[in-house]
């Protein structure tokens, strides 16, 4: 997660109508906590990388709110279900996306885009790339804070400690909505208004399962030296063994996979799940790694 600077919004996709290269599959990206759509050091940088390597591609960097400051603040304080609904509306009315699109989410943006895939199949998401997304949630974490938001994170830590699963906190604090405490599994399953829903913790929504399984590829990137996500294996859909916070299990050993509540087992057997590891801390990667490892999924 990068620091946020008050920059002017980037005009997206200006070259999409020039020449035959415009046939490239569009890309939708969603930033992480404390970031914004058009930060030149983060999402703006990624957008330029993609546009340089895939001439003519249409890139939509999602902005939640009317300004960059609102976009950043909403990454902390806007109910995730409302954010997902807003994004689904944006995608539905964008004529460039009618034929389908690829999606790339960074940190919490990865799990939010998975919710879009599960809840909003039109227009169709073709490939989903989750870069450090916490698909089984985050616990105890928050050792670091993005950018200039340290005072916000200090407050969030205290709030999560006091009552992550109270209704007021769930409704108004994004990070609480994917707070997964292995010592309070019942509280999590009962009261998590976002993650427990999209992870089928309270029953099987067959539509969620069907929609996710429609993806061609679901790529999950784990940062091997991550100090921000706890446990890092959440980025590969693994988590702590229930009832303790020391020993972790991979996705394939979770009940979510064994019971195939989300279709991940079937997707895995069909070769649709891709697990990538990259050296470095949370969201730290090189342009060379991005070009050689992630770009092929967009072409």
């Amino acid at each position: 997660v990068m620091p946020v600077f008050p920059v002017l919004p980037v005009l997206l996709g200006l070259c999409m109508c020039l020449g035959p290269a415009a046939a490239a599959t569009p890309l939708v990206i969603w930033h992480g906590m404390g970031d914004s759509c058009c930060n030149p050091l983060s999402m703006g940088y990624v957008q330029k990388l993609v546009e340089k390597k895939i001439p003519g591609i249409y890139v939509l960097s999602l902005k939640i709110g009317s300004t960059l400051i609102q976009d950043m603040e909403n990454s902390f304080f806007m109910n995730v279900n409302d954010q997902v609904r807003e994004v689904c509306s944006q995608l539905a009315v964008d004529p460039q996306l009618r034929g389908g699109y690829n999606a790339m989410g960074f940190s919490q943006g990865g799990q939010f885009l998975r919710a879009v895939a599960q809840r909003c199949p039109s227009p169709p998401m073709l490939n989903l790339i989750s870069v450090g997304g916490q698909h089984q949630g985050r616990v105890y974490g928050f050792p670091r804070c993005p950018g200039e938001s340290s005072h916000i994170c200090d407050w969030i830590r205290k709030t999560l400690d006091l009552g992550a699963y109270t209704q007021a906190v769930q409704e108004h604090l994004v990070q609480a909505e994917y707070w997964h405490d292995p010592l309070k599994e019942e509280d999590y399953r009962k009261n998590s208004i976002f993650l427990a829903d999209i992870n089928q913790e309270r029953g099987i929504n067959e539509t969620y399962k069907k929609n996710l399984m429609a993806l061609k590829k679901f790529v999950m990137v784990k940062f091997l030296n991550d100090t921000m996500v706890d446990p890092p294996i959440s980025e590969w859909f693994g988590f702590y063994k229930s009832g303790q916070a020391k020993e972790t299990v991979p996705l394939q050993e979770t009940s979510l996979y064994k019971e195939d509540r989300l279709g991940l087992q079937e997707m895995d057997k069909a070769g649709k799940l891709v697990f990538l590891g990259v050296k470095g801390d949370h969201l730290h990667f090189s342009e060379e790694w991005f070009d050689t490892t992630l770009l092929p999924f967009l072409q």
Side-chain angles (χ1 to χ4, degrees):
V1 183
M2 306 289 184
V4 179
F5 295 98
V7 296
L8 293 173
V10 177
L11 293 174
L12 303 181
L14 288 180
C15 58
M16 58 166 197
C17 56
L18 301 179
T25 302
L27 174 65
V28 173
I29 57 180
W30 199 339
H31 62 79
M33 174 180 69
D35 201 0
S36 69
C37 66
C38 312
N39 181 349
L41 297 181
S42 57
M43 294 303 97
Y45 170 75
V46 169
Q47 181 174 342
K48 285 185 177 179
L49 278 185
V50 173
E51 290 172 343
K52 181 172 72 174
K53 297 294 182 177
I54 310 177
I57 189 172
Y58 174 68
V59 181
L60 173 63
S61 187
L62 293 167
K63 182 172 73 170
I64 314 299
S66 56
T67 68
L68 299 190
I69 296 298
Q70 281 186 358
D71 190 22
M72 183 273 286
E73 291 175 344
N74 286 335
S75 75
F76 290 112
F77 302 119
M78 182 177 176
N79 185 302
V80 181
N81 295 308
D82 292 339
Q83 292 193 53
V84 170
R85 272 191 291 271
E86 163 66 22
V87 165
C88 290
S89 297
Q90 287 186 31
L91 303 185
V93 299
D94 191 327
Q96 303 299 327
L97 305 179
R98 284 179 188 155
Y101 64 96
N102 293 322
M104 184 183 295
F106 294 83
S107 197
Q108 68 184 28
Q111 47 171 310
F112 298 173
L113 278 170
R114 175 165 65 87
V116 171
Q118 292 173 209
R119 294 175 177 176
C120 308
S122 181
M125 186 185 295
L126 306 177
N127 296 291
L128 172 59
I129 302 174
S130 167
V131 186
Q134 309 89 358
H135 293 283
Q136 284 281 17
R138 175 187 299 155
V139 300
Y140 306 127
F142 254 62
R144 286 194 298 108
C145 197
E148 302 303 314
S149 309
S150 58
H151 62 291
I152 296 178
C153 289
D154 289 339
W155 178 83
I156 290 175
R157 284 189 196 95
K158 293 173 185 173
T159 304
L160 291 172
D161 286 342
L162 287 172
Y165 298 122
T166 61
Q167 183 177 352
V169 174
Q170 281 288 310
E171 289 286 345
H172 300 291
L173 183 57
V174 166
Q175 288 67 40
E177 295 173 49
Y178 57 86
W179 196 254
H180 187 174
D181 189 335
L183 305 181
K184 299 179 180 177
E185 288 283 358
E186 279 303 312
D187 283 348
Y188 159 70
R189 276 193 288 270
K190 182 180 177 182
N191 298 311
S192 167
I193 66 172
F194 175 68
L195 190 68
D197 176 65
I198 65 167
N199 281 4
Q200 307 276 48
E201 299 280 8
R202 291 191 285 265
I204 307 299
N205 182 325
E206 293 294 344
T207 301
Y208 283 3
K209 184 173 178 178
K210 173 188 170 188
N211 290 343
L212 190 66
M213 290 175 64
L215 289 172
K216 294 179 180 178
K217 294 285 184 186
F218 179 11
V219 181
M220 288 169 265
V221 176
K222 173 187 168 188
F223 291 89
L224 302 178
N225 311 102
D226 204 314
T227 63
M228 191 165 181
V229 176
D230 179 11
I233 200 171
S234 177
E235 296 169 17
W236 280 350
F237 240 118
F239 200 59
Y240 289 116
K241 278 189 174 178
S242 187
Q244 50 86 61
K246 291 184 179 178
E247 189 179 351
T248 61
V249 293
L251 166 64
Q252 289 78 3
E253 293 179 26
T254 64
S255 58
L256 176 70
Y257 185 93
K258 290 177 178 178
E259 299 167 12
D260 210 18
R261 300 201 303 268
L262 204 48
L264 293 170
Q265 182 186 134
E266 194 169 333
M267 292 176 74
D268 196 16
K269 290 176 179 176
K272 289 187 170 188
L273 301 186
V274 181
F275 301 90
L276 301 175
V278 57
K279 290 180 180 178
D281 203 349
H282 194 63
L283 298 191
H284 289 203
F285 56 85
S286 68
E287 182 175 338
E288 179 187 18
W289 174 85
F290 185 89
D291 287 351
T292 58
T293 309
L294 296 189
L295 273 181
F297 293 103
L298 304 179
Q299 293 170 310

